[in-house]
Amino acid sequence: MKRTTGDYNGDGIGDVATVYGYDDGQVALWTWLGTATGKFAAPLLSWKVAAGNWNFQRMTVSSGDFNGDGRDDVAAWYDYADGSDTLWTFTSNVQGGFNAPFPSMTRPAGGWSRSKDKPVTGDFNGDGRDDWPSSTDTPTAATRSGPSSRTPRVASATPWAPGTAPPGAPGTDDGPCRRLRRKRQGRHRPLVRLHRRT
């Protein structure tokens, strides 16, 4: 089971979504909707595929409101056996379940590797839709904006060695840092540190 959290039905209460890999090879996406009592409603099955289609072990899931409708969605990074990678988006519906996935981005073999990517979500460009930046052990980090099929945008092209401060961090000479706090729908967005080169 792989878990992620978000407000999938837009009621202001946090929910839980899980991707479950069955012993027979089937893969399913379930939602546990939160309630005002702090408990969860009975699980809701949104999506299920037969064995031989998706491999549970090759999926990395995260949540965010990628289409700006006020309900969180689920993004699934899938690492194919041939070395290619696809970012799939499951948009949420008013029941708190999810619609059929569609591909948001595809990278050919030799591009990115799921095992080397550390994705997070947040509205980093202030357009009201969450984005999907990914930090890798390569010299660049790329950002996806929303669920469309646009090419990832490189957010930082300056590498730094493990154990050292990133370029632009306090105490370095590579330019100032900006701290941004996003506020949407009465909730503060995560605090994000952006490194700006001068």
Side-chain angles (χ1 to χ4, degrees), residues 52-55 57-59 76-88 101-110 112-115:
N53 289 281
W54 290 57
N55 185 325
Q57 299 296 337
R58 294 185 174 276
M59 300 174 69
W77 180 275
Y78 195 91
D79 184 20
Y80 289 89
D82 65 0
S84 62
D85 295 271
T86 297
L87 181 62
W88 294 86
F102 58 88
S104 301
M105 181 199 74
T106 297
R107 299 285 287 179
W112 290 2
S113 172
R114 178 182 63 88
S115 64

Side-chain angles (χ1 to χ4, degrees), residues 85-97:
D85 295 271
T86 297
L87 181 62
W88 294 86
T89 303
F90 297 78
T91 54
S92 61
N93 56 45
V94 294
Q95 289 80 29

Side-chain angles (χ1 to χ4, degrees), residues 30-184:
W30 294 86
T31 310
W32 279 261
L33 297 176
T35 68
T37 64
K39 297 180 180 180
F40 291 93
L44 169 67
L45 177 62
S46 300
W47 172 82
K48 191 174 186 179
V49 292
N53 289 281
W54 290 57
N55 185 325
F56 168 78
Q57 299 296 337
R58 294 185 174 276
M59 300 174 69
T60 300
V61 295
S62 55
S63 295
D65 183 5
F66 303 119
N67 58 2
D69 65 356
R71 300 187 303 268
D72 285 327
D73 313 301
V74 168
W77 180 275
Y78 195 91
D79 184 20
Y80 289 89
D82 65 0
S84 62
D85 295 271
T86 297
L87 181 62
W88 294 86
T89 303
F90 297 78
T91 54
S92 61
N93 56 45
V94 294
Q95 289 80 29
F98 298 94
N99 301 309
F102 58 88
S104 301
M105 181 199 74
T106 297
R107 299 285 287 179
W112 290 2
S113 172
R114 178 182 63 88
S115 64
K116 296 181 180 180
D117 289 317
K118 304 297 181 185
V120 296
T121 58
D123 183 7
F124 299 106
N125 61 355
D127 65 354
R129 295 175 299 181
D130 283 332
D131 311 307
W132 196 89
S134 177
S135 172
T136 77
D137 68 351
T138 61
T140 62
T143 304
R144 301 258 335 125
S145 297
S148 68
S149 301
R150 289 176 290 183
T151 301
R153 175 171 54 85
V154 174
S156 173
T158 304
W160 67 85
T164 63
T172 68
D173 296 324
D174 195 30
C177 289
R178 291 186 298 165
R179 295 172 68 87
L180 301 181
R181 183 181 298 276
R182 299 292 186 193
K183 188 175 183 180
R184 193 182 82 209

